[in-house]
Amino acid sequence: GQQVMQIPQYQHVQEGEDFTTYCNSSTTLSNIQWYKQRPGGHPVFLIQLVKSGEVKKQKRLTFQFGEAKKNSSLHITATQTTDVGTYFCAGALMDSSYKLIFGSGTRLLVRP
Amino acid sequence: GAVVSQHPSWVICKSGTSVKIECRSLDFQATTMFWYRQFPKQSLMLMATSNEGSKATYEQGVEKDKFLINHASLTLSTLTVTSAHPEDSSFYICSARGAGGTWGSPLHFGNGTRLTVT
């Protein structure tokens, strides 16, 4: 079945350092979405990428969608303690199933 | 907009009993809702797609007789965990696409229900 892998599983950084998480799908995606889940909370939508090679920025966060629409990355510049949480990518399948397949997530901890 | 409310937030039940979890779209109509399950420090696993007025579509490996889904209206879907066992203890989260949401558009999640079966 379709799989979405995400690395690393876990990263612990010093506040001010950069952070990147990578997402790779076994199949071509219609679009990819990124969500953030704080400890004890529910996933919150961050952004959606649709076009091949698309790059979007939200303040210190930069999102990229690969040319083949099978991989994506999220880069955070100069992390802050408020960035703590688990970041999930979620791939929307090319068929009409309306399903999102979530990646395994990357848990980010930031040392103040 | 696009608020999804889930109730209860947490529940503890005895083995063998059934638990019902409600998911409501508060400010929009959701013809389709999705139920996910999340184990500690793991990803969200799609359990089933709930369709208003018709039967739910279950993912492979999910027992439809154990996890009963009812989507009786455009704003309410329920998940009933029947004859719960300790291995059913998990975090259950519902989600829906917002008003006018199209194929592949982002999901709005409820706050989740933490189920503990003793």
Side-chain angles (χ1 to χ4, degrees):
Chain A
Q2 299 91 352
Q3 284 191 330
V4 177
M5 305 302 294
Q6 203 172 338
I7 58 169
Q9 277 190 309
Y10 170 86
Q11 189 147 11
H12 199 176
V13 300
Q14 184 71 41
E15 188 173 23
E17 291 181 340
D18 293 354
F19 160 77
T20 305
T21 172
Y22 301 90
C23 186
N24 191 59
S25 168
S26 59
T27 59
T28 303
L29 301 169
S30 169
N31 68 71
I32 198 154
Q33 300 165 26
W34 286 89
Y35 293 80
K36 178 182 179 180
Q37 185 176 25
R38 293 183 181 275
H42 64 279
V44 174
F45 171 73
L46 294 177
I47 208 160
Q48 180 182 35
L49 302 169
V50 180
K51 299 177 183 176
S52 170
E54 189 170 13
V55 177
K56 285 187 176 180
K57 291 191 176 184
Q58 285 181 351
K59 297 181 181 178
R60 294 178 294 104
L61 277 62
T62 302
F63 303 84
Q64 290 187 314
F65 199 11
E67 295 290 339
K69 299 184 73 172
K70 295 177 72 173
N71 55 67
S72 181
S73 65
L74 157 60
H75 180 82
I76 302 178
T77 303
T79 54
Q80 299 175 358
T81 55
T82 53
D83 295 326
V84 165
T86 300
Y87 293 85
F88 292 99
C89 62
L93 302 183
M94 290 285 283
D95 61 24
S96 59
S97 66
Y98 288 73
K99 289 193 291 190
L100 277 183
I101 306 298
F102 277 78
S104 44
T106 296
R107 187 178 173 204
L108 172 65
L109 290 179
V110 180
R111 288 189 298 269
Chain B
V3 177
V4 176
S5 174
Q6 191 172 339
H7 179 82
S9 298
W10 59 270
V11 57
I12 301 172
C13 71
K14 292 187 177 180
S15 188
T17 61
S18 295
V19 173
K20 180 185 281 188
I21 302 170
E22 292 187 348
C23 181
R24 294 180 185 273
S25 55
L26 296 186
D27 52 359
F28 67 101
Q29 293 182 332
T31 54
T32 304
M33 290 186 175
F34 304 89
W35 287 95
Y36 287 86
R37 181 175 182 176
Q38 186 177 34
F39 290 106
K41 298 182 181 180
Q42 293 191 23
S43 187
L44 289 83
M45 300 302 296
L46 180 63
M47 298 176 66
T49 302
S50 172
N51 305 297
E52 187 267 335
S54 65
K55 290 182 179 180
T57 305
Y58 290 83
E59 294 301 300
Q60 193 172 7
V62 178
E63 299 175 59
K64 62 180 180 181
D65 294 329
K66 180 166 188 61
F67 298 100
L68 300 178
I69 291 173
N70 184 278
H71 196 151
S73 76
L74 287 171
T75 58
L76 174 64
S77 175
T78 61
L79 168 68
T80 302
V81 183
T82 63
S83 187
H85 288 98
E87 57 265 31
D88 298 324
S89 299
S90 188
F91 191 52
Y92 294 87
I93 318 177
C94 69
S95 65
R97 294 195 161 90
T102 58
W103 172 72
S105 58
L107 297 177
H108 301 277
F109 285 86
N111 288 334
T113 298
R114 189 160 302 282
L115 170 64
T116 301
V117 184
T118 61

